[in-house]
């Protein structure tokens, strides 16, 4: 099962808004890991997406289920 979340709309919600939310989370101490870490490894996705939505981002979520028997 795969979940995909896309931001729908103009450029600002897809570029500046995620960067500013991540910076605010970093400043608030929500990011505990040090060093070079992928965003999905150090930022709580539920908290991140909630912050985006709170600031007006439109999120489109897709759930894909694939059979384990597919080749």
């Amino acid at each position: 099962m795969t979940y995909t979340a896309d931001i729908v709309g103009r450029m600002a919600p897809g570029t500046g808004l995620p960067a500013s939310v991540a910076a605010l989370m970093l400043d608030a101490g929500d990011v505990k890991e040090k060093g070079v870490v992928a965003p999905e490894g150090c930022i709580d996705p539920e908290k991140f997406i909630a912050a985006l939505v709170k600031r007006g981002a439109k999120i489109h979520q897709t759930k894909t289920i694939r059979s384990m028997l597919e080749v």
Side-chain angles (χ1 to χ4, degrees):
M1 187 175 322
T2 304
Y3 289 92
T4 305
D6 299 302
I7 294 179
V8 180
R10 302 182 68 100
M11 177 107 88
T15 56
L17 192 55
S20 67
V21 167
L24 290 169
M25 292 177 77
L26 186 63
D27 183 58
D30 293 329
V31 180
K32 306 289 186 210
E33 288 75 10
K34 304 275 188 218
V36 179
V37 182
E40 60 273 14
C42 64
I43 293 179
D44 179 350
E46 289 182 20
K47 194 171 194 176
F48 181 74
I49 291 174
L52 289 173
V53 170
K54 180 180 174 184
R55 288 163 177 81
K58 305 286 189 252
I59 306 291
H60 178 259
Q61 183 176 347
T62 305
K63 178 170 124 179
T64 305
I65 302 172
R66 296 184 196 251
S67 171
M68 293 179 359
L69 303 175
E70 287 182 12
V71 179

